[in-house]
Amino acid sequence: MKITITKSDYDKILAYAREQKPLEACGLIAGLDRADGVREIRRVYFLTNTDHASEHFSLDPKEQLEAVRDMRKSGFSPLGNWHSHPASPSRPSEEDIRLAFDSRASYLILSLQDNPHPVLNSFHVEDGVSSKEDFEILG
């Protein structure tokens, strides 16, 4: 599966993650699973990391519910979530893999480790195994 995100939405995630640093920033992604196999991110959501931690996150449940309501109202499907790694690479940690309960979800991880050159990747996690998804920033 290929995942796409607009440069504009990527820039918004990057700005929010930098703003939240040294804490992990987090949120949800929504959009469409197209017939041609492309998963198109159309909207990103910025949620509070209720753990207020630099090495893990929990999404605020109330904000999560509001985001899902907005997705449905907008005709989008929940596609997964995103979070930042302020000081580690763009790959799932052991905890990220352990907590990835939805095998249909895409998990985007933005690394701010090499600050002038942030890295955003998307992962699929199933049965405790993560694999990198084909990911493209458009425009």
Side-chain angles (χ1 to χ4, degrees), residues 77-97:
S77 298
L79 300 179
N81 68 48
W82 70 270
H83 72 280
S84 64
H85 283 180
S88 59
S90 175
R91 64 174 175 254
S93 66
E94 287 182 25
E95 182 176 359
D96 292 336
I97 292 170

Side-chain angles (χ1 to χ4, degrees), residues 112-132:
L112 299 175
Q113 180 180 28
D114 188 9
N115 198 5
H117 307 287
V119 176
L120 180 63
N121 287 305
S122 183
F123 298 89
H124 172 82
V125 181
E126 192 164 353
D127 298 325
V129 177
S130 78
S131 56
K132 201 169 171 182

Side-chain angles (χ1 to χ4, degrees), residues 41-114:
I41 298 170
R42 290 280 195 88
R43 188 162 295 165
V44 294
Y45 296 88
F46 307 95
L47 279 60
T48 302
N49 176 355
T50 59
D51 291 344
H52 304 289
S54 61
E55 294 183 5
H56 53 89
F57 73 97
S58 292
L59 301 171
D60 180 288
K62 184 179 177 191
E63 292 174 357
Q64 195 171 1
L65 184 59
E66 289 170 9
V68 171
R69 283 186 181 136
D70 182 71
M71 290 174 203
R72 291 189 178 136
K73 185 179 80 182
S74 303
F76 298 135
S77 298
L79 300 179
N81 68 48
W82 70 270
H83 72 280
S84 64
H85 283 180
S88 59
S90 175
R91 64 174 175 254
S93 66
E94 287 182 25
E95 182 176 359
D96 292 336
I97 292 170
R98 186 172 49 79
L99 296 175
F101 298 117
D102 186 352
S103 64
R104 296 165 300 165
S106 291
Y107 298 94
L108 274 61
I109 300 174
L110 174 67
S111 171
L112 299 175
Q113 180 180 28
D114 188 9

